[in-house]
Amino acid sequence: MVSGPGGVGKGTVCAVLLERHPELWLSRSWTTRPQRPGEADDAYEFVSREEFLARVADDGFLEHAEFLGNFYGTPVPEAPPGRDLILEIDVQGARQVVARDPEAVLIFLEAPSAEEQEARLRRRGDPEDKVAQRLAKAWEEADAGAELGAHRIVNVDVEACADEIYRVILASRSQQGR
Ligand code: 5GP
């Protein structure tokens, strides 16, 4: 699982990781958040609250959480057997996954500085009130990540960060005897 505050570059790092290691399998989340201008159509499955809640009622999510007023969830994964599943989720979701599978590994990405994080949030076109809310939430998330024993990685360079995540995956495979 890859978590971290908004604007830290989770999406970009995961894209590089998947490009380099096509044996990994990235889950596509559902969200009720509106699509941002310029955001890829396949960044999420963008759904209404009704569709989301219907899937919750059907037990169709591995985990789900409400984040700043919108729902996000990981559909029960269809990853082919034997492939490592990568989830890009918030810490509330990570807590649910660890409860189900204590061997799940959590990476917590951090921005090199609060200024850089703020600049990234603004660049991607988040509304001003959301930028402030996401920044305020960042500390809370870092504490929750530490509590879950996350591997902390500072995202200074995307490629180096993807390499470091892959090293953590390899170490956990060998620990699990795979
Ligand atoms: P954003 O709106 O910036 O795309 O995402 C907001 C937060 O929700 C981020 O921390 C992101 O990692 C998290 N998130 C994205 N997908 C999921 C999901 O399926 N489950 C959970 N619990 N969080 C998610």
Side-chain angles (χ1 to χ4, degrees):
M1 296 171 287
V2 179
S3 283
V8 82
K10 296 178 294 260
T12 316
V13 168
C14 285
V16 170
L17 180 68
L18 266 290
E19 195 184 289
R20 292 191 172 178
H21 305 286
E23 85 277 13
L24 302 173
W25 202 88
L26 181 67
S27 162
R28 183 150 69 113
S29 298
W30 281 34
T31 187
T32 61
R33 168 171 72 64
Q35 191 171 2
R36 292 188 193 107
E39 186 173 25
D41 289 341
D42 62 358
Y44 284 100
E45 186 76 38
F46 293 97
V47 296
S48 66
R49 285 178 89 86
E50 291 69 34
E51 282 172 285
F52 195 97
L53 293 173
R55 187 158 185 149
V56 171
D58 274 355
D59 244 351
F61 289 112
L62 182 65
E63 60 70 38
H64 65 280
E66 190 171 349
F67 185 94
L68 299 180
N70 293 301
F71 292 127
Y72 296 81
T74 304
V76 171
E78 307 99 39
R83 288 179 66 180
D84 285 308
L85 175 65
I86 307 293
L87 306 180
E88 192 205 310
I89 61 180
D90 84 325
V91 284
Q92 305 172 72
R95 196 173 290 123
Q96 295 172 44
V97 173
V98 169
R100 280 193 183 211
D101 177 4
E103 288 193 327
V105 173
L106 176 60
I107 311 280
F108 191 84
L109 284 191
E110 291 181 3
S113 69
E115 290 74 27
E116 176 64 29
Q117 189 188 347
E118 189 168 345
R120 286 189 199 173
L121 284 173
R122 293 228 155 76
R123 268 202 301 274
R124 76 181 185 184
D126 271 20
E128 197 53 38
D129 59 327
K130 293 282 178 202
V131 171
Q133 286 176 13
R134 283 172 190 272
L135 288 171
K137 228 174 153 25
W139 294 108
E140 216 179 283
E141 290 176 85
D143 283 350
E147 215 175 275
L148 287 167
H151 298 262
R152 289 173 48 199
I153 301 179
V154 180
N155 183 13
V156 177
D157 173 81
V158 173
E159 317 257 312
C161 199
D163 285 345
E164 203 168 332
I165 294 177
Y166 194 63
R167 277 196 291 277
V168 174
I169 294 173
L170 289 181
S172 103
R173 276 186 198 155
S174 88
Q175 237 174 30
Q176 293 169 19
R178 292 193 287 135

